Amino acid sequence: MDETVAEYIRRTVLKIPRDEMKTVLQAWGFLSEAQLQTLNFHQTKDKISQEVVQLCEDNSADIKQAAVLDIIYNHVYPNKRMWSVYQMSKSEEEMDFFDLTDFKKKIKRRLQTALKNVTINFREYEDNAIWIRIAWGTPYKKPNQYKTSYVVYHSQTPYVFISASVIRSTLPLLCQALVVASNYHDIREMELRSHCLNSLKDIVFKRYSQTFQTYYPRPLQERNVTSENVDLRIIQENKNEKERILRVNREVFGDGPQPKLEFAQYKLETMFKSNPMLDVSDIKEPFRCLVKFSSPHLLESLKSLAPAGLADAPLSPLLTCIPQKRRNYFKVKERKGFFPESFVSP
Amino acid sequence: HLATSLPLSSERDNLRPRIDLIVFIIDIKSKYSLKNVEASLAHVDASFFLGKVCFLVTGVGRVNYCSIETNAIWKLRDIYCSPMLYCELELEGIRVATAQRLLRMLQICAGHIPGVSALSFGSLMRSSEDE
């Protein structure tokens, strides 16, 4: 077995948390059940990974199997990478029958013609997701297995989720290959990025609980009195306001869990509006500034702002439109007289 | 009675007992909190400021998350001539101790402690702070 392959397998195994190692190796399926039984998962990860490499040596693993292990690792732990969403489009509305074999062939051909040395692996999952792993090389260098791109494509949709490698120059080639192989005309990057792949899918496929505009006021639901508010000696003077805030919040965010995003970025190109007393009114250029909100779970924290008393309800639509508009990067331009919204898509 | 801001809604006036002490809670981590308190103070009748108003500044344990200048809150204390207490609500010990202090103040303001009036207690608190 190639030394680089052995090292790559060893490093990939080391990334897996010890409790999950057996499950991931079983999903890999390269080592037999009997071989897995011989592994002692109670020793240090270092020792386990070395034993795994030894078994792979016995089975003569090559780069293809190592790549499959890597795809499985990234499928189980996708949140370690940053994912961007791309949307493909075509002029005719006809739905071509999707041929998986043809798709894979075209991708391979496209990438291998451009760069002789690439490692390409595919893996299909039950939810119609096709995972593609690409390790990039050049016509003169072997592929670098540590600088990989991952693509998740749901063949029934025009959306592609890409976790690009650090080699930025490979991205256009990858996009081109995807468009050609899937019979689309065009691909564009949506302004939506996050570490949480499932949340990106939820937003793009509209799988989170959305709110619906109702024109009839919903009756206030009688909730069971929760144990925390049972002390009758405490009287809330602003009960109506609190209930209004909860109701407005519910209308904006819905009832279910929010998709997980880590940040929202707003590029402002608006005129500086200041106190007329300050002498900055003669600035004719738009004020340029970048505002970035970050949080372990941005949408949940926005949802909890008004009930916590930290912001007025309803929140600014610039913040609440994130899942509906399917973007977390915005350019905010000056409001022109005719349009009700002050932000323009780039 | 807990309220998020003043003035209180007038529709409940007849249900409310006499108000003996108003405690304004300022969260040092939130500028919004200070602004809200400043706006609410304008709705308080002047007679309350003779010992029946107190400021409670919370969140003082987390120095890194301070959003309000200490000068701003001291200014509030001086302008309104009312005592200012500091506490950290997240620690049970301090929470309980602060509650006991407030309860004691309330007893005085309600006239339950003979020989001590709200006004005299208020000036006692103030003079000890100036040291």
Side-chain angles (χ1 to χ4, degrees):
Chain A
M1 189 165 73
D2 195 329
E3 245 182 49
T4 49
V5 172
E7 181 61 14
Y8 186 69
I9 293 178
R10 191 186 73 85
R11 289 207 198 178
T12 311
V13 171
L14 271 179
K15 286 197 288 192
I16 310 170
R18 198 161 57 161
D19 303 331
E20 310 287 318
M21 270 183 183
K22 186 153 186 209
T23 332
V24 174
L25 290 173
Q26 273 170 338
W28 187 30
F30 179 64
L31 300 176
S32 71
E33 193 57 43
Q35 285 175 310
L36 285 177
Q37 295 292 349
T38 67
L39 289 169
N40 175 8
F41 289 102
H42 295 292
Q43 46 186 347
T44 63
K45 275 171 64 165
D46 231 357
K47 294 215 176 87
I48 302 176
S49 65
Q50 277 164 6
E51 283 184 11
V52 170
V53 169
Q54 186 53 53
L55 289 174
C56 292
E57 178 85 50
D58 297 341
N59 288 14
S60 313
D62 65 14
I63 192 60
K64 185 167 189 299
Q65 276 85 29
V68 170
L69 179 63
D70 186 46
I71 292 193
I72 293 176
Y73 170 77
N74 280 288
H75 176 79
V76 176
Y77 304 102
N79 301 346
K80 302 254 180 225
R81 302 187 69 100
M82 174 70 89
W83 297 90
S84 300
V85 190
Y86 290 75
Q87 184 175 16
M88 297 192 285
S89 54
K90 56 175 148 196
S91 46
E92 323 91 51
E93 266 312 314
E94 51 168 280
M95 291 301 296
D96 295 326
F97 174 68
F98 179 74
D99 186 342
L100 181 61
T101 334
D102 190 49
F103 175 76
K104 296 203 279 199
K105 215 166 58 176
K106 284 192 174 144
I107 297 248
K108 276 199 160 119
R109 195 182 333 142
R110 197 77 193 200
L111 294 178
Q112 281 164 345
T113 325
L115 301 166
K116 221 164 43 162
N117 292 311
V118 275
T119 315
I120 310 172
N121 292 84
F122 299 87
R123 196 164 172 91
E124 297 86 55
Y125 285 93
E126 329 73 42
D127 54 348
N128 275 326
I130 303 166
W131 278 65
I132 314 174
R133 173 189 180 275
I134 302 144
W136 304 95
T138 69
Y140 311 103
K141 268 189 352 196
K142 271 177 63 174
N144 184 341
Q145 300 300 332
Y146 298 94
K147 294 208 160 92
T148 42
S149 301
Y150 299 87
V151 175
V152 179
Y153 175 47
H154 285 252
S155 52
Q156 306 305 318
T157 75
Y159 298 105
V160 188
F161 304 89
I162 300 182
S163 178
S165 86
V166 290
I167 312 172
R168 301 293 296 160
S169 53
T170 58
L171 195 54
L173 176 61
L174 177 59
C175 289
Q176 216 183 44
L178 285 165
V179 167
V180 166
S182 53
N183 292 318
Y184 280 87
H185 282 179
D186 202 7
I187 184 169
R188 71 168 186 107
E189 184 174 2
M190 292 172 72
E191 299 288 330
L192 183 61
R193 275 161 228 141
S194 174
H195 280 279
C196 184
L197 179 61
N198 280 336
S199 287
L200 289 176
K201 289 190 191 185
D202 285 344
I203 292 176
V204 165
F205 301 144
K206 304 246 178 243
R207 297 193 302 213
Y208 61 99
S209 75
Q210 293 177 84
T211 59
F212 299 98
Q213 294 284 359
T214 50
Y215 294 103
Y216 300 95
R218 268 177 282 176
L220 280 171
Q221 286 163 343
E222 289 299 325
R223 301 230 202 123
N224 296 330
V225 177
T226 50
S227 51
E228 44 176 320
N229 276 341
V230 143
D231 193 340
L232 295 169
R233 295 175 296 176
I234 300 176
I235 296 169
Q236 300 273 359
E237 290 282 341
N238 302 96
K239 207 155 72 117
N240 288 343
E241 178 62 14
K242 277 188 168 27
E243 279 168 4
R244 183 195 75 90
I245 289 177
L246 285 177
R247 195 188 65 231
V248 166
N249 224 38
R250 208 137 137 236
E251 278 168 21
V252 169
F253 289 98
D255 273 327
Q258 300 291 311
K260 190 162 183 223
L261 294 174
E262 296 97 39
F263 47 84
Q265 191 172 290
Y266 299 84
K267 212 174 195 165
L268 299 179
E269 286 170 19
T270 49
M271 300 303 291
F272 189 67
K273 291 190 181 72
S274 73
N275 187 334
M277 304 283 273
L278 298 174
D279 198 14
V280 287
S281 52
D282 52 357
I283 296 179
K284 298 284 184 276
E285 291 283 308
F287 192 74
R288 285 166 208 281
C289 133
L290 190 74
V291 179
K292 186 171 176 180
F293 294 90
S294 26
S295 162
H297 198 319
L298 183 72
L299 294 177
E300 280 294 337
S301 56
L302 289 177
K303 185 175 172 182
S304 55
L305 276 180
L310 292 167
D312 290 327
L315 292 176
S316 159
L318 280 172
L319 292 170
T320 56
C321 70
I322 291 172
Q324 284 99 306
K325 291 218 176 273
R326 304 189 297 186
R327 59 191 304 172
N328 56 351
Y329 283 75
F330 295 86
K331 260 203 192 120
V332 183
K333 294 208 165 99
E334 199 54 47
R335 194 186 297 232
K336 308 277 184 213
F338 300 106
F339 303 107
E341 289 171 309
S342 66
F343 48 93
V344 180
S345 46
Chain B
H1 286 237
L2 291 178
T4 52
S5 64
L6 295 177
L8 296 176
S9 143
S10 53
E11 59 191 36
R12 297 176 58 97
D13 273 343
N14 52 335
L15 298 169
R16 237 176 262 124
R18 182 190 71 201
I19 296 177
D20 290 313
L21 176 66
I22 305 179
V23 180
F24 287 95
I25 303 181
I26 302 173
D27 184 353
I28 213 167
K29 305 190 291 287
S30 162
K31 283 198 174 81
Y32 191 69
S33 166
L34 180 63
K35 263 177 43 184
N36 194 15
V37 164
E38 282 171 347
S40 301
L41 279 163
H43 294 280
V44 177
D45 186 71
S47 59
F48 277 96
F49 293 104
L50 300 171
K52 299 205 175 177
V53 167
C54 158
F55 294 101
L56 180 64
V57 180
T58 68
V60 295
R62 294 182 183 267
V63 178
N64 292 344
Y65 292 96
C66 240
S67 264
I68 305 178
E69 300 261 312
T70 23
N71 284 336
I73 46 175
W74 285 346
K75 211 172 77 167
L76 216 55
R77 181 196 66 193
D78 294 337
I79 291 176
Y80 291 96
C81 303
S82 297
M84 191 168 258
L85 301 180
Y86 304 89
C87 83
E88 179 54 71
L89 289 175
E90 292 179 34
L91 298 171
E92 195 185 336
I94 301 182
R95 207 166 61 221
V96 168
T98 310
Q100 285 169 340
R101 288 174 83 181
L102 286 173
L103 198 57
R104 199 73 178 142
M105 281 180 69
L106 180 58
Q107 283 176 320
I108 294 170
C109 292
H112 290 188
I113 312 286
V116 187
S117 74
L119 190 54
S120 63
F121 183 71
S123 51
L124 193 70
M125 289 275 289
R126 249 201 343 275
S127 59
S128 68
E129 270 169 19
D130 288 338
E131 281 163 23

